[in-house]
Amino acid sequence: MSYGAEISRRNPGYFIFLVDQSGSMSDPQGGNAGKSKAQSVADAINRIIQNLVIQCSKNEGVFDYFCCSVVGYGKSVQSGFSAALSGRPYASMSELEANPMRLDTRTQRIPDGIGGLVDVQVKFPIWFDAVAAGGTPMCQAIGAAYQLAESWLSRNGSGFPPIVMNLTDGEATDGNPLIGAQRLSGLQSTDGNVLFFNMHLSMTTGQSALFPSNEGALVDEFARLLFKMSSALPESMIRQAQSMELPVQPGSRGFVYNADIVSIIQFLEIGTKPSNLALR
Amino acid sequence: MIENARIDVTLLPKIGERLADCEDALSLSSDPTSKHLRVAVADGASSSAFSGIWSRLLVESFIANPFFAYDDLATRLPQLAAQWLERVYRTDLPWHAIERAKRGAFSTITAIEFSGKDRISWRAIAIGDSAMLIFRDGRLLESLPFTRSSDFPTYPMLVSTIVEGNADLREHVRATEGQSEPGDVIVLATDAVARMIFESIESCEPSLESIVSGFTSDASTYIDAQRARSLLKNDDVAIVLIRFA
């Protein structure tokens, strides 16, 4: 139970993203006037997938170091993939890279090789748009994650365990999600238990929280519930987070409150990672 | 003595990957007059972009013009980084490759130069977690940059293509020098094999003789066997064995 299993193309990691698409997600996010929680979640999941693809980028191709599932929950609980991947329970990184919903064009400044910078038009993929409708069947979504994780573990029982990431405003409408979260976190590979992490977006303005080790500073009752549901970061991830100078300590949980969770995917080790590589 | 050196080299990718994907590099050359022999190994960090190109540039640079101190390396880094950019960047690169490349490439380098005719002197440099080991009469005589398996860091400081990545490099350069005698066995290896050799020294199993024999007979089969026994991590492998008659 060391969370030390190799993540490679032979032994890929597995992410399950649970995306809250309930009606309450149309409310603005605390401290972020004009941007809805649904838009913040869509931005976060797109950036997470983009960063996973970047992590898997090898020379000009994409290596399948990870596989991922996206479960949207709102009016219904269903696969969140769209376009060519619509309805798929999971997809590899190369499949995601090849099948975005659309491409947005952005201007990027890159070195020109002779000491200067040059502007280039780069197409960035978008896989998810903001959705906000219906209730918040979080318990059902966690149940769907349980099925997916159990199925993955039956095929990859000695690999790095699945990482489930729930992006939500925290107000479940179908029961107490803590019970399902504990059941889900009880699943395990020989390398460790399923990791259940949460990104909580709230209307409440005030201090954000990044990987706290206790719930003392959390004023929101849903934040405290999601903190309880969240797994402690394994030692290997704490070590990597500390090398990135992030404020984590033993006991820190995979939980962020009105903050960015994207950095968490860089806590995973794929091959040699230099101490001077700034992956922020 | 240099002209009588027996040199065995092995470069292998991880299990399931192609040699073209291997991010380790090695290079060696000897002066036609046999005044010197240079050997370098490097390990491009798999978590950075196009690091195989960077590791190859570093070993080629050492072989062409060796460096044994931070300042000697630092003065040539901008030019090497520019060469890396030239080989990497194209305007039609996919978005993820551009993003990766912007974060730079990182690599170790460990290298040695032997010189002299009757009496051989050597100078060596190491940055990162690739290692050099010198054995005499079956015992470890000298090693760089580590002396035991527990010295291998989780996150080594490596040579980067980006300026800010090299800000603290000076304090991580290790260099030493010495003299070789007939019968010495010198090993330069990237981290997976180097760590396995240190562990074998510490546990006296397998013996140095069997390791040398493994890497000088059928290295690929030997590496597969060590991986199967979990004595060798599934990582790229670059190893050079030099034996002076």
Side-chain angles (χ1 to χ4, degrees):
Chain A
M1 295 297 196
S2 61
Y3 295 97
E6 166 192 276
I7 295 176
S8 64
R9 287 187 288 180
R10 285 195 322 146
N11 300 295
Y14 181 38
F15 281 95
I16 303 170
F17 298 104
L18 306 180
V19 181
D20 186 345
Q21 298 175 329
S22 62
S24 62
M25 295 293 284
S26 62
D27 296 332
Q29 185 192 345
N32 208 342
K35 191 172 186 181
S36 71
K37 291 182 282 186
Q39 188 58 53
S40 291
V41 162
D43 289 349
I45 187 80
N46 282 316
R47 274 187 299 113
I48 288 170
I49 303 283
Q50 282 172 10
N51 274 276
L52 281 174
V53 172
I54 291 167
Q55 286 241 51
C56 296
S57 176
K58 272 288 175 190
N59 301 333
E60 294 175 36
V62 173
F63 281 13
D64 287 329
Y65 291 137
F66 298 106
C67 195
C68 77
S69 295
V70 179
V71 176
Y73 59 99
K75 272 206 290 200
S76 62
V77 177
Q78 60 188 6
S79 166
F81 291 131
S82 59
L85 300 175
S86 185
R88 288 273 299 272
Y90 54 84
S92 67
M93 282 302 115
S94 57
E95 288 175 322
L96 278 160
E97 192 270 333
N99 294 287
M101 179 194 287
R102 65 174 184 278
L103 294 167
D104 282 355
T105 301
R106 298 181 205 164
T107 302
Q108 291 271 300
R109 303 207 104 186
I110 64 168
D112 61 5
I114 51 171
L117 294 169
V118 60
D119 285 342
V120 296
Q121 299 291 304
V122 180
K123 293 190 182 305
F124 267 82
I126 298 293
W127 291 273
F128 306 98
D129 278 332
V131 178
T136 310
M138 192 188 298
C139 297
Q140 283 186 62
I142 292 170
Y146 184 95
Q147 303 279 330
L148 289 164
E150 190 176 44
S151 168
W152 176 267
L153 287 165
S154 70
R155 288 172 280 124
N156 302 275
S158 58
F160 198 97
I163 298 173
V164 183
M165 219 178 275
N166 183 30
L167 293 78
T168 179
D169 65 359
E171 303 176 48
T173 55
D174 62 344
N176 181 356
L178 180 61
I179 299 159
Q182 288 170 338
R183 185 166 164 259
L184 175 59
S185 303
L187 288 173
Q188 59 185 224
S189 74
T190 55
D191 190 49
N193 283 66
V194 166
L195 294 168
F196 188 40
F197 299 151
N198 286 278
M199 182 177 95
H200 184 200
L201 300 172
S202 166
M203 288 175 68
T204 310
T205 54
Q207 201 166 12
S208 60
L210 199 62
F211 312 118
S213 57
N214 64 69
E215 59 187 284
L218 303 173
V219 293
D220 185 315
E221 66 175 296
F222 298 114
R224 288 194 294 274
L225 175 63
L226 287 166
F227 172 85
K228 287 190 183 84
M229 290 160 59
S230 301
S231 304
L233 293 175
E235 194 184 323
S236 58
M237 296 177 83
I238 287 176
R239 213 167 42 231
Q240 176 59 17
Q242 286 174 335
S243 79
M244 295 166 65
E245 297 174 3
L246 287 168
V248 300
Q249 54 194 314
S252 280
R253 300 227 185 162
F255 172 76
V256 301
Y257 177 71
N258 280 345
D260 191 349
I261 202 167
V262 174
S263 60
I264 210 165
I265 63 168
Q266 288 156 3
F267 298 175
L268 296 167
E269 293 175 18
I270 309 170
T272 307
K273 190 167 277 186
S275 63
N276 45 342
L277 175 53
L279 271 170
R280 278 161 235 158
Chain B
M1 197 159 83
I2 285 177
E3 64 271 25
N4 295 327
R6 174 170 174 182
I7 303 169
D8 293 272
V9 303
T10 304
L11 183 66
L12 280 176
K14 300 174 187 73
I15 299 168
E17 298 201 354
R18 302 170 306 158
L19 189 57
D21 298 326
C22 182
E23 289 156 332
D24 282 6
L26 60 83
S27 187
L28 65 160
S29 87
S30 61
D31 186 295
T33 61
S34 293
K35 282 185 181 164
H36 61 240
L37 166 67
R38 293 172 189 154
V39 179
V41 299
D43 177 356
S46 46
S47 55
S48 68
F50 303 98
S51 58
I53 294 173
W54 184 231
S55 63
R56 286 191 285 279
L57 277 168
L58 287 175
V59 294
E60 286 162 11
S61 178
F62 179 90
I63 298 303
N65 184 14
F67 48 86
F68 299 101
Y70 168 79
D71 289 334
D72 295 340
L73 172 63
T75 53
R76 74 181 70 183
L77 278 178
Q79 190 187 356
L80 287 172
Q83 286 175 31
W84 176 81
L85 284 169
E86 196 178 342
R87 293 192 195 183
V88 165
Y89 274 127
R90 291 197 328 267
T91 51
D92 62 344
L93 273 182
W95 65 273
H96 52 84
I98 290 176
E99 283 298 305
R100 277 288 254 187
K102 279 166 60 184
R103 298 171 186 186
F106 293 76
S107 177
T108 70
I109 179 160
T110 291
I112 190 167
E113 180 187 60
F114 300 94
S115 59
K117 190 83 177 165
D118 300 320
R119 191 161 180 79
I120 296 181
S121 299
W122 56 261
R123 300 175 73 190
I125 184 170
I127 304 168
D129 61 359
S130 297
M132 177 205 73
L133 302 94
I134 298 180
F135 297 92
R136 183 171 296 167
D137 301 326
R139 290 170 171 267
L140 181 64
L141 177 72
E142 182 130 15
S143 60
L144 190 75
F146 310 127
T147 57
R148 60 183 75 83
S149 62
S150 57
D151 289 343
F152 282 78
T154 308
Y155 306 114
M157 176 68 71
L158 308 182
V159 186
S160 175
T161 57
I162 52 176
V163 173
E164 55 269 41
N166 294 323
D168 300 322
L169 197 60
R170 181 188 291 273
E171 62 197 83
H172 293 270
V173 175
R174 300 285 177 269
T176 187
E177 57 188 60
Q179 293 190 320
S180 282
E181 292 185 1
D184 283 359
V185 177
I186 298 99
V187 178
L188 273 76
T190 48
D191 63 324
V193 169
R195 190 191 291 252
M196 183 191 79
I197 295 174
F198 274 113
E199 287 170 349
S200 75
I201 295 167
E202 289 155 11
S203 64
C204 302
E205 177 64 34
S207 66
L208 175 64
E209 290 77 18
S210 76
I211 291 173
V212 170
S213 167
F215 281 109
T216 54
S217 51
D218 183 353
S220 179
T221 303
Y222 178 72
I223 287 168
D224 284 347
Q226 304 313 303
R227 283 171 172 167
R229 295 171 64 199
S230 298
L231 294 176
L232 180 62
K233 189 178 150 195
N234 180 27
D235 197 356
D236 293 341
V237 167
I239 179 169
V240 182
L241 266 113
I242 305 144
R243 286 174 289 169
F244 289 115

